Each structure stands twice: as structure tokens, then as C-alpha cells.
Amino acid sequence: TKLPPEREFRNILGVSRGDLRKALAVLEGEGEVWRHVGKGTFIGTKPAEDMFSFSTISEQTSPAEVIRTRIIIEPVIAREAAIQATADNIREMRGCLKGSREARSWRQYESWDNKLHSAIAAATRNTLLVSMCGTMNTVRRAVVWGQLRPNKVKPPANHHSFAEHEAIVDAIEQRDMQQAADRMRCHLVSVQQAILEIQKNAE
């Protein structure tokens, strides 16, 4: 149920604007009401589709939170890919590796990086995992991408991700579940360290 507009609601209750807003904030904190910017305040629990919309998530998360979530989830995806990947999946991953090395700009590299992680998820042949990975990639593009670019036109030839990505794909191709998970985790920890370093330098 949608509550009346603020001015009308104040008149109905006979309270000040400040008191009404304080009361609504308390009720929202207790899960009794929820607000949607531009639409109003509603009684009840916030619907999942509103709670987990890309725009809402992107506004409320941070690069550190995104990478931490990836460290939790993506090693499991890599492990599952080592079990389920087909020859076509491996070829797709190898193509992404080649594309990222040949990228002429950071934007091109980031696009190939996204395609690689998506290809690894697709290799699980698990619709829910693919969907989860797609959500993470969408959020990280909004929150993280562009913040990790140093003052160079494109990634250097010795950029850490090249070797790390190849190690992940090698493990998947060899059907080594534990290595695939471990190498994915190591790669994401490297990304995490890069984020922390950039944030430290920006302070």
C-alpha cells in the first residue's frame, strides 16, 4: 500500500515535517515501510526486484565490496567450469585471452576481460551461476571499471592479469578443479590489491 504524499500525510496526522520524516525513517529501519525515489513510500517489505535492481546495487556498493564478492563467488564458478567446460568453451576462453593481449586501449582490454569471465561462467552450463556472474559484471562495470586505469593508453605487456588469466584457463582445460579455483582466487586477490593501492594513493 502506498502512503499519501508527505504534505497530505502531515495534515492527516497533524505532525511537523521533521517529526514525520523521523517516524518514517524509524519504520523504514524496522522494515515496516520502504521508499522508492520518485514513486513514494510504501507499507511492507521492499520487493526483491526493487532491492536488487542494478541501479540500486550500484549506488549502495563500492569497488572493495564488489571485489570481495567476486573473491567469494568466482573461484566456485571456475571450479565448476573445470568440470563442465566443452572444447567450444575452451576455444572461447582462448579467444578472449588473445583479444585481451591485443587490446589497443584499456576500454578494449576491459571488454575482453568481461568476456573471459562471462565465458568461464557459461562453461559451468548452470543458468543461475551465469545469471549471478552477469549481475556481478554489470555492477562492476558501473562501480569499478575506469578506476583501475593507470596513466597509460593500454595495459603493459607484463600486466599481471595476462598470466593469471592464462593460468585459470589452463587449469580449466586440464580439468583441475582445485587449481582452477585457486588460480581464480589468486587473480582476484591481485585485483583487490590493485584497488587498495589506488585508493591509498588517492587519499
Side-chain angles (χ1 to χ4, degrees), residues 147-184:
Q147 296 191 23
L148 301 182
R149 299 176 191 167
N151 295 322
K152 295 180 181 179
V153 176
K154 64 179 183 178
N158 64 347
H159 187 53
H160 68 89
S161 68
F162 294 141
E164 292 167 1
H165 282 160
E166 288 182 6
I168 294 166
V169 175
D170 286 345
I172 292 172
E173 186 172 25
Q174 294 162 11
R175 306 293 181 189
D176 192 327
M177 297 179 292
Q178 192 58 51
Q179 278 277 54
D182 289 345
R183 289 174 177 177
M184 178 64 82

Side-chain angles (χ1 to χ4, degrees), residues 6 15-29 35:
E6 186 177 285
V15 298
S16 69
R17 180 181 184 185
D19 286 342
L20 176 61
R21 290 190 169 183
K22 287 178 183 177
L24 290 175
V26 171
L27 290 171
E28 185 176 21
R35 305 185 213 194

Side-chain angles (χ1 to χ4, degrees), residues 7-125:
R7 180 176 296 178
E8 181 183 342
F9 204 18
R10 291 200 331 255
N11 291 334
I12 292 172
L13 298 175
V15 298
S16 69
R17 180 181 184 185
D19 286 342
L20 176 61
R21 290 190 169 183
K22 287 178 183 177
L24 290 175
V26 171
L27 290 171
E28 185 176 21
E30 294 175 349
E32 298 294 334
V33 300
W34 62 279
R35 305 185 213 194
H36 191 299
V37 178
K39 292 185 178 180
T41 303
F42 300 81
I43 296 173
T45 305
K46 181 182 288 188
E49 63 269 19
D50 186 85
M51 188 182 300
F52 296 109
S53 68
F54 293 136
S55 60
T56 301
I57 295 172
S58 298
E59 290 170 2
Q60 296 180 0
T61 192
S62 65
E65 194 172 78
V66 170
I67 191 60
R68 183 60 194 151
T69 302
R70 294 182 67 199
I71 290 172
I72 293 169
I73 295 175
E74 290 198 52
V76 177
I77 291 176
R79 180 184 178 88
E80 189 68 13
I83 302 172
Q84 302 291 348
T86 65
D88 285 341
N89 292 139
I90 299 298
R91 276 193 290 273
E92 177 71 15
M93 294 177 207
R94 294 291 180 194
C96 293
L97 294 178
K98 183 174 184 292
S100 66
R101 282 192 176 276
E102 295 175 353
R104 297 183 178 181
S105 68
W106 276 103
R107 185 172 295 278
Q108 286 183 3
Y109 165 78
E110 289 163 354
S111 178
W112 282 112
D113 176 76
N114 179 60
K115 289 177 182 178
L116 173 62
H117 285 272
S118 295
I120 293 172
T124 67
R125 292 188 279 174

